[in-house]
Each structure stands twice: as structure tokens, then as C-alpha cells.
Amino acid sequence: MLYGISPCDHGQLRIGGCELDVRPFLLGVDVPALAFLATKPELETARRDLAQARQGKPTATALERADYLEIWIDDATPSVDETAVITAANKFLQQYPDSGFTAEVRMKLAEAYFRRQDFANAQTQFELLAQQKPEARLAEKALFFAARSATSG
């Protein structure tokens, strides 16, 4: 318990003696963020909750955040290849080219290509990130890995 705040049931906090439902405040979607942000992510619970949140009538902003979260769920899921991450990230970049999450998504895409040892595509994505978002905190890291990709192929 931290400063009189303790977790209750899904999506609720106990502050003092009152229970507060915090689900509406989490990333604009319902409980998926709670499951994903747990100490040991409950990926299937997060995926199920995310699907359930999509069945309602989410706003465009909530859908964007849900698609963003889905990339991280796919990345955290153990897999032989990186197909799910690559597919979700490419779809996100096509659907939301002006998103505030573009730099993080492009970095995740480039990293997936790099782990797959597809160094040409990794280099392209790292370079695009640095060119399109030079002010992003990830730009320097992207340039480093672009060079590393160029020498790894």
C-alpha cells in the first residue's frame, strides 16, 4: 500500500476507505492496460479485454490507443518470428500517419525486423524514424541501429 492507496478488484483503487473505478482513465480504453502493466503481464487477459473494449463504441482516439497497445501486447508475446508485431505496426503506421505514437511504433517495427535479421527493412525503418521525427527521443538510438543494421547485412 502506498500513501493509503491500495488495489481492489479489476480497475479499482482503494483510497482511504473509498473505492474508485479508474478504468475509464487508463489509456482511453478499459482494463487491457491493467493486465498489460501488471508485474508479469497477463497477455491473454489484456488481449481479451482489448477485444471486448473494441466491441463497444470507442472513440477514434480510444481505437488509436487500442491499436497502439496491441503492438506492445504482440511484442511481449513469445513468438518464433515477428510477424504479428510487424503486421500490427505497419497497419498502425498506415492508419495513423500523424499519430503522436508514430516514433515509438516505428522503433518497435524496426526492432522487430532487426530481431528477425531482416537488416535491410530494419535499417529503412530506423532511418525513417530519424528523418521523420528528428526531435524524438528515439532518433539518436534509431541512427545508431540504422548503422548497425547496415553493417549486419
Side-chain angles (χ1 to χ4, degrees), residues 63-90:
L63 280 174
E64 178 184 346
R65 290 176 178 167
D67 289 345
Y68 175 76
L69 182 57
E70 184 178 1
I71 296 165
W72 264 251
I73 293 170
D74 288 342
D75 188 54
T77 303
S79 154
V80 175
D81 67 13
E82 303 294 331
T83 303
V85 174
I86 290 168
T87 301
N90 275 316

Side-chain angles (χ1 to χ4, degrees), residues 20-76:
L20 173 67
D21 188 355
V22 295
R23 290 177 292 182
F25 305 105
L26 290 171
L27 300 175
V29 293
D30 212 24
V31 213
L34 284 177
F36 183 71
L37 296 173
T39 303
K40 182 178 181 226
E42 299 171 22
L43 300 174
E44 289 312 310
T45 301
R47 197 177 303 280
R48 184 185 66 241
D49 291 342
L50 192 56
Q52 184 178 358
R54 288 176 192 271
Q55 289 176 354
K57 293 185 180 183
T59 65
T61 301
L63 280 174
E64 178 184 346
R65 290 176 178 167
D67 289 345
Y68 175 76
L69 182 57
E70 184 178 1
I71 296 165
W72 264 251
I73 293 170
D74 288 342
D75 188 54

Side-chain angles (χ1 to χ4, degrees), residues 8-15 18-23 25:
C8 297
D9 296 326
H10 284 310
Q12 296 181 338
L13 292 177
R14 178 171 283 122
I15 302 175
C18 302
E19 290 183 10
L20 173 67
D21 188 355
V22 295
R23 290 177 292 182
F25 305 105

